[in-house]
Amino acid sequence: MARHWPNEGARRVSMSTTVFSVRLLVAAVFVSSVATSAAAKPLQPYKDALFGYPAILREDDGGDFRVVDYQELRDINGRDQIPERRVKRAYVSLGVKSSQVNETLDLGGRSLDVTRVGPDRGAAFTVIFIHGRGGDRRLGANDFSFGGNFNRLKNLAVGNGGTYYAPSVRSFDAAGVADIAALIRFAAEQSDGRPVVLSCASMGSFICWGISRDQKATAALSGMMVMGGVADPAFEESAAYKARLPMLFSHGSNDSVYPAEAQLALYRSLKNKDYPIRFVLFETGSHGTPVRMTDWRDVLNWILDR
C-alpha cells in the first residue's frame, strides 16, 4: 500500500505549478526569439544586379550618407525601351499582378481608393507609397514607368510576405494627411502590429511631414522615406522626432523643384543629434531620379532591422 504524507498533495501542486511556470517561461522565450529573428530577417533579393546602386562615389557617417553615381544615358536611355515611359522587359516580372487589386477602403467613415499588392491581412510588413501632384494610385502601381522600380517593390513585398499600398491622395493638406493616417492605422491593424513604412515622393512629402505630427499614426510606423521632397524645418518639434522614427532621404543633386541643399541641411542637423537617418544623393540626378533609382531592398532592410 502506498504511503501518503500529509503534505504530499501540496508538494505535487507546488511541483506542478513550478514545472508549468518554467515551461511557460521557456515557451515565451522561444516565441520571443522567433518573433525577433523574423523581424530582423532581411528581405530576399529581387533583381539586385539590375536595381542596386551603380556605384558609390562617396560615403560618410559610417555609410549613412552616400553619393551615388547617376548617368542619364545609362540609367534612362540604356534602361528604358521608351525613355521615361517604358522600361525594358528584363526589369519586370508581371506574375505579381495576380496579387494586385484596386479597391476602395472604408477607413472609419473615410473612403480611400488604393491599389493593394499582397494579402489584405497578416502581412509581414507593409509599404505605403504617396505620389506627388497630379498623380494617383496608378503612378505607384505602374510596372513599366520609373525604370521598373515599382514593379521591383511589388515583387519584394509579395516575395517576402509583405503588402504594398499605393493610394490616391486627394489633397496634400490636413484632409489628405487624415486619409493617410487612417490608412496607416488600418494597415497596422490588418497586420497585427507588424512594421509599416511610409514613403512620400515630391509634393507627397507634405503628407509625410503632416503624418510626423500625428502621434497615433507615428506610433504605428517603423520608418519613413522622403524621395525628392521638401524639407521640414520644424521636424524636430514633431511626434516622429520624439519617437526617433527612422528616416531616409533620397534626392537628386540637380533637383530644380526642391533643391537638395535644404534636405541636406536637415539631414546634417539630425545627424549631429545622433538621430537614426540616412541620405542618398544621386549625383547629377533631377527631381524624378529618387523614385527611379532608390534601392527599395536596401532601404527596407535598414528600416526593418532597427
Side-chain angles (χ1 to χ4, degrees):
M1 184 173 68
R3 299 176 64 185
H4 297 284
W5 300 96
N7 60 346
E8 185 178 5
R11 284 182 185 175
R12 286 176 176 170
V13 170
S14 176
M15 288 186 67
S16 297
T17 302
T18 301
V19 170
F20 181 70
S21 298
V22 169
R23 286 176 178 170
L24 269 182
L25 178 61
V26 170
V29 169
F30 175 75
V31 170
S32 174
S33 170
V34 170
T36 300
S37 64
K41 185 178 179 180
L43 302 188
Q44 294 302 302
Y46 173 77
K47 299 194 176 185
D48 285 21
L50 294 177
F51 289 94
Y53 296 134
I56 307 297
L57 302 178
R58 175 183 161 194
E59 196 168 77
D60 296 329
D61 300 333
D64 287 339
F65 178 79
R66 293 177 180 174
V67 178
V68 174
D69 181 44
Y70 172 75
Q71 300 174 27
E72 185 173 320
L73 286 177
R74 178 193 64 205
D75 297 316
I76 294 183
N77 295 52
R79 183 166 166 174
D80 290 358
Q81 180 181 334
I82 304 173
E84 298 189 312
R85 295 184 62 186
R86 188 176 183 86
V87 74
K88 292 178 179 176
R89 188 64 178 80
Y91 286 81
V92 299
S93 297
L94 297 179
V96 74
K97 291 177 75 70
S98 64
S99 301
Q100 177 173 317
V101 297
N102 289 332
E103 57 188 355
T104 299
L105 300 177
D106 181 358
L107 304 172
R110 309 185 74 92
S111 65
L112 186 64
D113 293 337
V114 303
T115 295
R116 172 176 52 82
V117 186
D120 62 348
R121 292 180 181 273
F125 64 94
T126 302
V127 179
I128 300 170
F129 171 78
I130 307 300
H131 58 78
R133 181 174 61 183
D136 57 29
R137 64 185 176 184
R138 291 173 296 180
L139 187 147
N142 193 314
D143 294 286
F144 292 96
S145 64
F146 294 101
N149 216 11
F150 287 119
N151 181 263
R152 186 194 189 211
L153 174 56
K154 292 178 186 181
N155 278 280
L156 283 170
V158 172
N160 290 279
T163 294
Y164 167 56
Y165 283 102
S168 289
V169 178
R170 289 172 287 209
S171 63
F172 298 94
D173 55 11
V177 170
D179 286 343
I180 301 307
L183 176 59
I184 291 168
R185 294 192 297 269
F186 172 81
E189 291 167 2
Q190 294 294 97
S191 65
D192 298 322
R194 294 185 181 92
V196 180
V197 177
L198 178 65
S199 56
C200 303
S202 186
M203 187 175 278
S205 59
F206 286 99
I207 299 294
C208 267
W209 298 129
I211 291 294
S212 75
R213 287 160 171 74
D214 185 315
Q215 191 168 3
K216 288 184 179 179
T218 294
L221 288 176
S222 293
M224 189 178 289
M225 302 166 58
V226 177
M227 300 182 285
V230 65
D232 179 8
F235 175 69
E236 293 180 22
E237 302 169 9
S238 69
Y241 176 81
K242 293 171 185 174
R244 294 180 61 79
L245 183 71
M247 300 283 297
L248 179 283
F249 297 158
S250 58
H251 223 100
S253 67
N254 291 348
D255 189 333
S256 60
V257 179
Y258 300 125
E261 287 73 21
Q263 203 74 295
L264 276 166
L266 179 55
Y267 165 80
R268 292 190 181 107
S269 174
L270 294 172
K271 197 64 185 174
N272 287 338
K273 297 175 176 65
D274 197 31
Y275 190 87
I277 187 166
R278 283 187 167 185
F279 196 114
V280 178
L281 182 68
F282 296 99
E283 186 63 29
T284 75
S286 60
H287 185 58
T289 302
V291 178
R292 168 180 284 264
M293 298 295 294
T294 296
D295 185 339
W296 284 102
R297 180 170 178 259
D298 178 72
V299 175
L300 291 174
N301 277 338
W302 175 68
I303 291 174
L304 298 175
D305 190 46
R306 297 192 68 82

